[in-house]
Amino acid sequence: MADGEEPAKKRQRIEEQPEKMAVDVSSSSDWDGRWSHVQKFLERSGPFTHPDFEPSEETLQFLLETCKILVIGAGGLGCELLKNLALSGFRNIHVVDMDTIDVSNLNRQFLFRPKDVGRPKAEVAADFINSRVPGCHVVPHFKKIQDFDESFYRQFHIIVCGLDSIIARRWMNGMLLSLLIYEDGVLDPSSIIPLIDGGTEGFKGNLRVILPGMTACIDCTLELYPPQINFPMCTIASMPRLPEHCIEYVRILQWPKEKPFGDDVALDGDNPEHIQWVFQKSLERAAEFNITGVTYRLTQGVVKRIIPAVASTNAVIAAACATEVFKIATSAYIPLNNYLVFNDVDGLYTYTFEAERKENCSACSQVPQKLQFPPSAKLQEVLEYLTENASLQMKSPAITATLEGKNKTLYLQTVASIEERTRPNLCKTLKELGLADGQELAVADVTTPQTVLFKLNFTS
């Protein structure tokens, strides 16, 4: 580093250095000793190897040429995962992310630069890895996971999730369960696609290894995921006590009423002008009730439902996820069984445990769920049970039943015209709707690509 070099020039030279390194790399994708660290794990045995593991040179070739990995999410965890997998020898990687890069991402999502703000995360992350890691081929998909069908997911050997949404996790869980093939009630092992799921929140993180149809799935342990916090409307409107109450008041009530940017303009959490407007109105609301603590950062966090993120936590969990991918892909070591918890709020604390499969899991048990209600119960009560029960936590369930040989929609919320037509059913009793004891109800929801079957049991 030259003495007396101006800080601005020094910073520019450091920022340009990674791109220069990527260009100067030899055209050959492999060189002597490149995979020596990986070969030490794959070409010799040891006390911790899997019972079925046989040291060989072919395993490395499988990683380099054949093994296909899908990474879902290119955010804090996703950037770390892509880097770890690419440097571990995985060259056939696809990444799916529906989000674009925001300035607030740059402090921890290290594959992105200021010039990338506004571009799709998946595309920028793929370009960076492909240019920086010779021989690696990352294919980006700027889409939702729901935009792909079974044939897309069936092509992968392992799927890794770095998501911040419980709904997306459950949908992915349901998709992999729908790919399972049973012959005479016996699961075909070749139809299993392992799912490795990582999650972080501030200084806490977790990782789990799921073998669909064999181990506990996401829905088996749904009680571990607390429902999203929603403030009561009466508190927001009449008795605000927290700065978040003031922001929610502006977001839910004032924005639709005042329409500050036009009739058809929805509140955009990534638009600085929108956030600034909400921030100023929230300050006014807070001043009325002598509430302090409303900041621009908090306003953006409430509007966008931002989960606190710490780079070091992402790095630890992503490293653990990549290690599990390596273990499963190579059989070199026994994979995690099956849940790891990480916490470095006060010191460093981590432990593992085995989450047990739930016999009557709504997603993976293959058993119709029981709904116990008296005939006098209203359909509204069934709807509330589906959304509020800790083991179900559905978001907008659509309920259908077969009545008099015809499939009838009892309630559907997501399509306005059908919702209006079926809304009167909510006030009707199950008996008035023509439902009988033992009746099967089919429920569709955004949390799963599959229809969940329930069996109605009348209680006295």
Side-chain angles (χ1 to χ4, degrees):
M1 194 174 290
D3 293 334
E5 186 177 6
E6 295 180 14
K9 290 183 179 179
K10 185 188 298 182
R11 185 165 58 250
Q12 181 182 0
R13 181 169 57 77
I14 292 172
E15 288 177 351
E16 292 175 351
Q17 191 173 3
E19 296 181 8
K20 199 175 292 183
M21 287 174 64
V23 173
D24 292 342
V25 168
S26 168
S27 59
S28 173
S29 62
D30 286 333
W31 53 88
D32 288 343
R34 180 178 184 185
W35 304 114
S36 59
H37 60 299
V38 177
Q39 289 171 318
K40 289 174 182 175
F41 293 110
L42 303 181
E43 297 180 9
R44 61 187 185 185
S45 188
F48 302 108
T49 56
H50 194 282
D52 298 332
F53 175 69
E54 294 183 6
S56 70
E57 297 178 0
E58 286 76 17
T59 308
L60 177 58
Q61 293 309 307
F62 170 75
L63 291 192
L64 298 176
E65 299 170 8
T66 308
C67 191
K68 209 167 187 180
I69 307 294
L70 174 62
V71 175
I72 300 178
L77 270 176
C79 286
E80 292 278 358
L81 280 167
L82 288 169
K83 175 260 294 180
N84 292 344
L85 293 170
L87 295 176
S88 298
F90 295 95
R91 289 172 157 173
N92 230 335
I93 305 172
H94 287 238
V95 58
V96 177
D97 196 296
M98 58 174 282
D99 205 0
T100 54
I101 298 166
D102 182 64
V103 173
S104 63
N105 302 146
L106 301 181
N107 71 332
R108 63 195 180 281
Q109 297 173 24
F110 58 88
L111 300 183
F112 311 140
R113 301 290 182 266
K115 62 182 175 60
D116 300 320
V117 170
R119 292 184 60 199
K121 288 184 177 181
E123 294 178 7
V124 175
D127 289 344
F128 193 105
I129 295 293
N130 290 338
S131 65
R132 189 68 182 267
V133 183
C136 191
H137 181 55
V138 181
V139 180
H141 301 278
F142 178 42
K143 293 183 178 181
K144 298 179 180 179
I145 56 174
Q146 294 88 346
D147 292 340
F148 299 98
D149 59 14
E150 292 184 355
S151 61
F152 173 78
Y153 292 106
R154 209 183 292 275
Q155 65 181 303
F156 298 102
H157 292 93
I158 302 171
I159 295 178
V160 199
C161 288
L163 293 162
D164 57 5
S165 164
I166 304 300
I167 294 176
R169 278 188 174 92
R170 294 178 66 186
W171 191 93
M172 196 65 245
N173 178 70
M175 171 55 74
L176 294 186
L177 289 169
S178 72
L179 299 180
L180 297 178
I181 298 173
Y182 290 87
E183 296 179 1
D184 298 325
V186 179
L187 177 62
D188 179 1
S190 65
S191 66
I192 297 173
I193 301 176
L195 174 65
I196 296 169
D197 178 60
T200 65
E201 183 173 342
F203 291 99
K204 300 175 183 178
N206 67 80
L207 149 72
R208 62 189 304 176
V209 174
I210 298 170
L211 302 178
M214 293 182 63
T215 63
C217 74
I218 297 286
D219 281 42
C220 283
T221 55
L222 201 55
E223 293 91 341
L224 295 177
Y225 300 98
Q228 182 173 296
I229 296 173
N230 290 305
F231 301 110
M233 184 58 70
C234 57
T235 301
I236 295 172
S238 307
M239 301 175 292
R241 298 184 302 276
L242 301 172
E244 290 86 350
H245 293 162
C246 302
I247 299 167
E248 284 287 82
Y249 177 85
V250 177
R251 183 182 75 87
I252 296 173
L253 299 174
Q254 277 191 259
W255 181 278
K257 182 179 179 180
E258 299 189 19
K259 302 173 182 175
F261 293 87
D263 290 346
D264 300 324
V265 180
L267 177 56
D268 182 359
D270 292 317
N271 188 321
E273 293 181 357
H274 290 195
I275 297 297
Q276 185 63 34
W277 187 89
V278 175
F279 171 51
Q280 291 298 332
K281 293 294 181 180
S282 301
L283 283 175
E284 295 171 12
R285 175 79 174 169
E288 289 180 30
F289 293 89
N290 295 318
I291 296 172
T292 59
V294 174
T295 64
Y296 183 91
R297 186 182 182 89
L298 179 65
T299 302
Q300 190 176 41
V302 171
V303 171
K304 295 181 66 176
R305 294 287 194 261
I306 292 175
I307 298 173
V310 175
S312 58
T313 311
N314 285 334
V316 170
I317 297 301
C321 287
T323 301
E324 295 305 318
V325 174
F326 182 85
K327 286 154 69 173
I328 291 174
T330 63
S331 293
Y333 296 89
I334 298 173
L336 174 70
N337 185 27
N338 50 33
Y339 205 110
L340 178 144
V341 176
F342 173 81
N343 188 333
D344 62 343
V345 175
D346 298 308
L348 181 62
Y349 177 64
T350 182
Y351 68 95
T352 63
F353 67 91
E354 181 182 357
E356 295 186 4
R357 194 173 173 191
K358 198 173 182 180
E359 291 184 3
N360 62 339
C361 173
S362 60
C364 71
S365 68
Q366 308 277 305
V367 176
Q369 304 297 294
K370 290 183 179 179
L371 280 177
Q372 294 185 319
F373 286 93
S376 58
K378 295 180 179 179
L379 187 63
Q380 176 69 47
E381 296 176 49
V382 176
L383 192 74
E384 291 172 356
Y385 175 81
L386 295 174
T387 55
E388 295 174 7
N389 183 275
S391 298
L392 298 173
Q393 294 188 37
M394 293 186 172
K395 302 303 174 185
S396 53
I399 308 172
T400 61
T402 302
L403 298 173
E404 299 177 356
K406 294 182 180 179
N407 195 38
K408 183 180 179 182
T409 300
L410 300 180
Y411 184 70
L412 192 149
Q413 184 177 342
T414 53
V415 180
S417 59
I418 301 178
E419 195 281 332
E420 187 176 353
R421 179 167 55 83
T422 57
R423 191 185 307 157
N425 289 341
L426 294 175
C427 298
K428 294 181 180 179
T429 66
L430 302 181
K431 188 176 181 180
E432 289 171 343
L433 290 170
L435 300 176
D437 187 40
Q439 179 97 42
E440 278 198 350
L441 299 180
V443 180
D445 192 58
V446 293
T447 56
T448 175
Q450 304 181 88
T451 299
V452 183
L453 288 179
F454 290 86
K455 194 169 185 178
L456 186 61
N457 289 340
F458 280 160
T459 58
S460 55

